[in-house]
């Protein structure tokens, strides 16, 4: 089983397919998302029979990554 992962600006815009190659892993990190932005995500499974229906859209808010600016005491 493989998965098709798509995302978009939440409730707006065209779906973008995230290319993770052929991977049976059930988790993935989607890179290059903007900080402080709502995104919608959905997933569909692919197997020998074909692609299944997409899941219900999940909306997630990205937060700013301040770790690049962190200085140890």
């Amino acid at each position: 089983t493989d998965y098709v992962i798509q995302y978009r600006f939440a409730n707006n815009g065209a779906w973008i397919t995230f290319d993770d190659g052929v991977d049976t892993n059930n988790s993935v990190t989607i890179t290059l998302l903007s900080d402080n932005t709502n995104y919608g995500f959905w997933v569909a499974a692919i197997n020998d029979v074909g692609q299944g229906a997409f899941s219900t859209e999940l909306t997630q808010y990205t937060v700013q990554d301040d770790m690049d600016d962190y200085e140890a005491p």
Side-chain angles (χ1 to χ4, degrees):
T1 300
D2 189 20
Y3 300 95
V4 176
I5 303 161
Q6 293 186 332
Y7 65 97
R8 67 178 178 171
F9 291 109
N11 303 315
N12 188 9
W15 288 99
I16 300 164
T17 300
F18 179 73
D19 183 9
D20 68 336
V22 176
D23 190 352
T24 58
N25 195 346
N26 62 3
S27 67
V28 66
T29 300
I30 298 178
T31 55
L32 303 177
L33 298 178
S34 298
D35 293 339
N36 304 316
T37 304
N38 279 312
Y39 285 95
F41 299 88
W42 64 5
V43 178
I46 301 174
N47 59 26
D48 294 338
V49 176
Q51 180 176 313
F54 277 97
S55 63
T56 302
E57 181 177 357
L58 169 70
T59 301
Q60 190 67 41
Y61 183 76
T62 58
V63 295
Q64 185 171 350
D65 180 6
D66 291 330
M67 292 304 293
D68 292 338
D69 300 328
Y70 180 76
E71 293 183 24

